[in-house]
């Protein structure tokens, strides 16, 4: 069971469509379900209308998901429960560090609040105590990845001072409650994975398998996504865009597919999906230069 979990911070860009496609093809090739989740917890960043645009764009590209669209914002009680479990096990502590203090702190959070007992009625974030031990996993594309969260990262936030559940916490609860077995996503999330594995182990959740795929970058090396000023994908050119993405994914689509209906392109791509070919992706360039 795979999933795509866009944040509704803007319309889909080529970079997101590219990871959506890879995740879709990987799930469908293995006769798996493909779920769609809208990562809408970070409400200040949500853009009105973005979710509808994302859903519409996926439909136009023929990337049909299974079941109902899942919205994180409808599962707040489940995140709260998971936080309570960790709290009961003394894995969390309140952190009252100000943004100012942290801005001047070393890159690795030095655990200023770990042994303090600040009054919990003052505004605080919740941090999880990391362990001084390697967290390792084998990424389907990147091979063995190992990180010591305590020495390389530090205790991280699971619930923000503004009351919003952190991405790391929510995604772990989400992947578990949705029964996700295969996570295919962009390389930019690779360093989140050890944190997620760590939370899964604290919550006794099974870990899905992970594959992080190279990102599409433009000529200047900027990631093509919502963060940069990349343009939204052109749904009028769905077929040729899919063809281009398959080429960027090193799937070698036959040329006569380029102008074929999207369903035929996808049917071919599902049948011929070869993960090994992703290893050949080097730096891929932006659509505009093709
Ligand atoms: N919502 C996240 C993003 O847009 C993706 C989360 C995930 O795939 O784990 O970057
Ligand atoms: Zn602190």
């Amino acid at each position: 069971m795979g999933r795509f979990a866009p944040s509704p911070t803007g319309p889909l860009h080529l970079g997101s469509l590219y990871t959506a496609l890879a995740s879709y093809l990987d799930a469908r090739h293995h006769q798996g379900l493909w779920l769609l989740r809208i990562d809408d917890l970070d409400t200040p960043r949500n853009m009105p209308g973005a979710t509808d645009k994302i859903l519409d764009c996926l439909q136009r590209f023929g990337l049909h998901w299974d079941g109902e669209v899942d919205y994180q914002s409808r599962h707040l009680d489940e995140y709260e429960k998971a936080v309570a479990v960790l709290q009961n096990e003394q894995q969390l502590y309140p952190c009252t560090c100000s943004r100012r203090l942290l801005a001047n702190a070393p890159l690795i959070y030095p655990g200023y609040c770990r042994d303090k007992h600040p009054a919990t009625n003052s505004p605080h974030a919740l941090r999880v105590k990391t362990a001084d031990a390697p967290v390792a996993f084998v990424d389907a594309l990147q091979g063995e990845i190992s990180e010591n969260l305590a020495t390389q990262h530090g205790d991280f936030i699971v619930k923000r001072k503004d009351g919003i559940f952190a991405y790391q916490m929510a995604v772990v609860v989400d992947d578990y409650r949705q029964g996700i077995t295969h996570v295919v996503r962009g390389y930019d999330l690779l360093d989140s994975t050890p944190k997620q594995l760590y939370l899964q182990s604290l919550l006794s959740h099974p870990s899905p398998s992970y594959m992080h795929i190279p990102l599409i970058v433009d000529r200047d090396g900027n990631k093509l996504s919502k963060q940069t000023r990349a343009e939204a994908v052109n749904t009028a050119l769905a077929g040729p865009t899919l063809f281009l993405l398959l080429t960027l994914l090193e799937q070698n689509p036959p040329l006569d597919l380029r102008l074929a209906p999207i369903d035929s392109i996808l049917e071919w791509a599902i049948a011929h999906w070869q993960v090994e070919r992703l290893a050949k992706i080097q730096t891929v360039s932006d659509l505009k230069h093709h």
Side-chain angles (χ1 to χ4, degrees), residues 1-289:
M1 182 119 65
R3 73 354 174 237
F4 176 53
S7 311
T9 50
L12 272 194
H13 290 92
L14 198 64
S16 315
L17 190 64
Y18 164 86
T19 47
L21 178 64
S23 150
Y24 172 86
L25 294 176
D26 195 63
R28 293 295 189 232
H29 180 75
H30 296 99
Q31 282 91 41
L33 296 180
W34 190 64
L35 307 185
L36 178 63
R37 182 170 79 227
I38 303 296
D39 279 5
D40 59 355
L41 285 187
D42 196 354
T43 44
R45 295 185 62 223
N46 290 348
M47 195 208 260
T51 298
D52 288 344
K53 286 204 181 112
I54 292 170
L55 302 189
D56 181 65
C57 180
L58 291 172
Q59 305 269 29
R60 284 173 193 261
F61 279 88
L63 302 180
H64 304 298
W65 55 90
D66 293 293
E68 302 277 305
V69 181
D70 186 88
Y71 293 87
Q72 287 186 321
S73 53
R74 301 186 186 160
H75 298 277
L76 299 181
D77 50 337
E78 284 143 283
Y79 308 128
E80 197 60 70
K81 264 185 219 152
V83 164
V85 168
L86 298 180
Q87 238 161 354
N88 284 337
E89 294 177 359
Q90 327 288 327
Q91 297 292 348
L92 308 184
Y93 61 88
C95 168
T96 52
C97 292
S98 65
R99 200 177 291 215
R100 226 239 237 104
L101 174 63
L102 292 176
N104 295 316
L107 234 44
I108 296 172
Y109 178 72
Y112 293 140
C113 296
R114 214 196 235 240
D115 304 311
K116 276 196 250 158
H117 297 280
T120 42
N121 52 0
S122 59
H124 60 275
L126 290 172
R127 280 185 195 268
V128 62
K129 297 174 188 167
T130 52
D132 186 4
V135 176
F137 71 104
V138 179
D139 184 277
L141 202 55
Q142 315 296 335
E144 180 156 347
I145 305 286
S146 174
E147 190 181 28
N148 181 316
L149 289 173
T151 60
Q152 293 176 265
H153 195 86
D155 300 342
F156 59 93
I157 291 178
V158 296
K159 192 175 183 186
R160 295 169 13 183
K161 211 183 257 187
D162 60 8
I164 294 178
F165 295 99
Y167 159 70
Q168 309 296 356
M169 186 72 225
V171 70
V172 162
V173 172
D174 294 333
D175 286 340
Y176 178 67
R177 67 182 171 77
Q178 294 192 289
I180 303 301
T181 54
H182 290 75
V183 172
V184 176
R185 58 187 177 193
Y187 190 82
D188 56 333
L189 289 166
L190 184 67
D191 73 344
S192 284
T193 306
K195 292 176 215 158
Q196 293 169 23
L197 290 163
Y198 182 63
L199 292 176
Q200 286 155 5
S201 73
L202 292 180
L203 291 164
S204 312
H205 292 172
S207 295
S209 69
Y210 290 93
M211 177 159 76
H212 292 85
I213 66 171
L215 301 173
I216 301 186
V217 295
D218 67 16
R219 270 184 308 189
D220 305 323
N222 298 313
K223 171 180 153 192
L224 273 191
S225 75
K226 295 160 273 204
Q227 286 83 35
T228 65
R229 289 190 295 141
E231 291 157 39
V233 284
N234 183 349
T235 50
L237 288 172
T241 302
L242 274 182
F243 186 89
L244 169 72
L245 292 173
L246 290 173
T247 306
L248 296 177
L249 288 165
E250 296 285 348
Q251 298 298 302
N252 273 359
L255 262 184
D256 57 356
L257 266 188
R258 194 169 175 271
L259 298 173
I262 51 172
D263 289 343
S264 316
I265 300 177
L266 288 173
E267 200 180 308
W268 179 90
I270 291 167
H272 295 86
W273 176 243
Q274 279 185 282
V275 159
E276 314 79 67
R277 293 188 154 270
L278 299 180
K280 302 208 300 184
I281 304 173
Q282 295 191 334
T283 307
V284 281
S285 62
D286 172 359
L287 177 63
K288 280 173 277 179
H289 311 303

